[in-house]
Amino acid sequence: MKLQRKNRLRATALGALAVSGALVLTACGSDDNSGPGTPQAEGQSSAASSIDCGKAKGQLRASGSSAQKNAMDLWVKNYMAACSGVEINYNSSSSGEGIVAFNQGTVGFAGSDSALKPEEVAESKKACKTGQGINLPMVGGPVAIGYHLEGVDKLTLDAPTLAKIFDTKIKKWNDPAIAKLNDGVELPDKAIQAFHRSEDSGTTQNLGKYLSAAAPKEWKYEAEKKWPAPGGQAASGSSGIAAQVKQVDGAIGYFELSYAKSQNIPTVAIDTGGSAPAEATSENASKAIAAAKIKGTGKDLALELDYTTKADGAYPLVLVTYEVVCDSGNKAETLDTVKSFLSYAASDDGQKILTEAGYAPIPAEINAKVRETVNGLS
């Protein structure tokens, strides 16, 4: 059965560029984003030819961030098509669950939308034996604010208004604060139903960092993975929030852009104080991420983002997903596969397909350091 599945995946990769069908990943994760318009492996055949399988072998298990699921789907499909005898299983759960699994030593790497905390680094030394967990920025992109409001196909909000909406201080769509930002738009007298993640989430933490920085008077909560504000409604995973927003008139929520694209969910433009509101696009997220600075030390490449940018076109509500690995002390049976797979993800081809899936590639200068670090893992 396993041999047949691998043969089918390889045949798919060498065939059409856009293919329908379940990935080996999809069964492993909680975020099934397989509806119409789901990003597929564009450029797959050319990417497969550039992958260096090295000594990769066997099965590699990983888990974590659901925000990077669609990127991971593309990477895994391309990689497994090129590397016979290797199976990558990425469980798209949440950043919090990924870090727990990594620190318990049950996965080769974890995906997290937030850099490791000091206590998590300390905990990682048990799993890494001779080293510790480090953050490798691999996926960038906008955190889209998706909404469902019948009759309204264009909406602008700013950070203070978003903070009040998610803190349930603004309860109606025709509230004066929203109307002021949307001159000429007929806003209904309808209750706002704000959705947030039910589980610990790096996407939640990134939203919190943005609101804390850009609307400190309105958002008084610490930026944590657990949703901090009272009220609102909870859903599991990025796909869970996207599904609720898609179904519920009056809903608003936050998730990675490709969920909005695949389900045709309209997204909010953010008024940053620049010359025009910034739309949630890969290109506009790249403008914001390009200003990021490395704040990690040694081999750790954690980034510091500027959530208050007013640069023209820069979409400020961005996240960077890290692949968390051991700098040394990786398990011998998975080390070669971890290095080979992450080398592909950080390659020019691996980063190029991110834009096609609604993500933003990591800036070249930072990505060069990621590749160097991956090559030195031991």
Side-chain angles (χ1 to χ4, degrees):
M1 183 70 178
K2 186 177 291 185
L3 179 59
Q4 290 176 344
R5 179 173 59 182
K6 291 180 181 177
N7 286 339
R8 186 167 61 250
L9 282 168
R10 287 196 292 272
T12 298
L14 296 173
L17 297 182
V19 185
S20 63
L23 302 180
V24 64
L25 286 179
T26 305
C28 302
S30 61
D31 281 349
D32 181 1
N33 194 29
S34 57
T38 300
Q40 300 293 336
E42 292 91 341
Q44 185 171 338
S45 56
S46 62
S49 65
S50 68
I51 294 172
D52 182 2
C53 303
K55 298 179 181 179
K57 61 184 182 300
Q59 184 183 83
L60 172 62
R61 297 181 64 240
S63 68
S65 165
S66 66
Q68 71 167 1
K69 175 189 182 296
N70 293 324
M72 197 60 72
D73 282 357
L74 296 179
W75 286 337
V76 170
K77 177 177 278 191
N78 286 353
Y79 185 83
M80 288 178 57
C83 300
S84 176
V86 182
E87 184 174 340
I88 312 290
N89 287 321
Y90 181 78
N91 180 14
S92 157
S93 49
S94 69
S95 297
E97 292 174 69
I99 296 303
V100 169
F102 177 77
N103 283 342
Q104 290 176 343
T106 61
V107 293
F109 69 88
S112 177
D113 304 328
S114 296
L116 293 168
K117 294 179 179 180
E119 59 268 28
E120 291 172 333
V121 173
E123 183 71 17
S124 73
K125 294 179 180 179
K126 298 176 184 177
C128 296
K129 306 300 183 185
T130 61
Q132 65 183 40
I134 57 173
N135 304 282
L136 301 178
M138 203 73 75
V139 181
V143 178
I145 303 295
Y147 69 97
H148 180 174
L149 197 56
E150 295 295 336
V152 178
D153 57 9
K154 189 173 183 180
L155 186 69
T156 297
L157 298 172
D158 59 12
T161 307
L162 278 169
K164 291 177 183 178
I165 287 172
F166 281 110
D167 199 18
T168 63
K169 297 292 194 299
I170 291 179
K171 301 180 184 297
K172 289 289 189 75
W173 278 110
N174 61 349
D175 187 277
I178 300 176
K180 184 178 179 181
L181 293 164
N182 293 275
D183 187 37
V185 177
E186 189 173 342
L187 296 165
D189 181 16
K190 184 180 293 292
I192 295 173
Q193 300 195 53
F195 285 87
H196 59 263
R197 292 282 286 272
S198 59
E199 74 283 12
D200 286 2
S201 160
T203 313
T204 293
Q205 188 169 36
N206 277 278
L207 175 63
K209 288 178 180 178
Y210 165 70
L211 294 175
S212 296
K217 293 181 180 179
E218 292 79 13
W219 192 257
K220 301 293 187 181
Y221 306 102
E222 293 292 324
E224 299 291 347
K225 293 178 181 176
K226 184 178 179 62
W227 182 255
Q233 301 184 58
S236 177
S238 294
S239 66
I241 293 184
Q244 291 296 325
V245 172
K246 178 74 172 177
Q247 295 169 11
V248 179
D249 187 16
I252 189 170
Y254 57 94
F255 33 76
E256 181 272 323
L257 181 61
S258 68
Y259 290 94
K261 283 189 168 186
S262 66
Q263 299 190 46
N264 295 316
I265 298 172
T267 59
V268 169
I270 295 182
D271 185 345
T272 64
S275 60
E279 301 283 349
T281 67
S282 298
E283 294 76 14
N284 290 346
S286 291
K287 293 176 183 177
I289 295 173
K293 293 179 171 50
I294 295 175
K295 66 177 181 179
T297 58
K299 294 182 179 180
D300 185 81
L301 300 177
L303 301 179
E304 183 175 356
L305 299 168
D306 180 8
Y307 295 102
T308 62
T309 179
K310 292 181 173 60
D312 283 349
Y315 182 82
L317 180 45
V318 294
L319 63 76
V320 169
T321 293
Y322 301 94
E323 309 313 333
V324 176
V325 296
C326 297
D327 56 359
S328 65
N330 289 278
K331 292 181 179 178
E333 60 269 27
T334 57
L335 174 61
D336 289 332
T337 308
V338 168
K339 292 176 68 172
S340 174
F341 177 72
L342 294 184
S343 291
Y344 163 58
S347 70
D348 289 340
D349 284 334
Q351 290 290 298
K352 180 181 177 182
I353 63 174
L354 293 180
T355 301
E356 299 163 359
Y359 297 93
I362 300 300
E365 183 179 348
I366 296 172
N367 196 44
K369 295 180 180 179
V370 172
R371 283 185 267 196
E372 180 182 353
T373 304
V374 170
N375 188 53
L377 297 178
S378 62

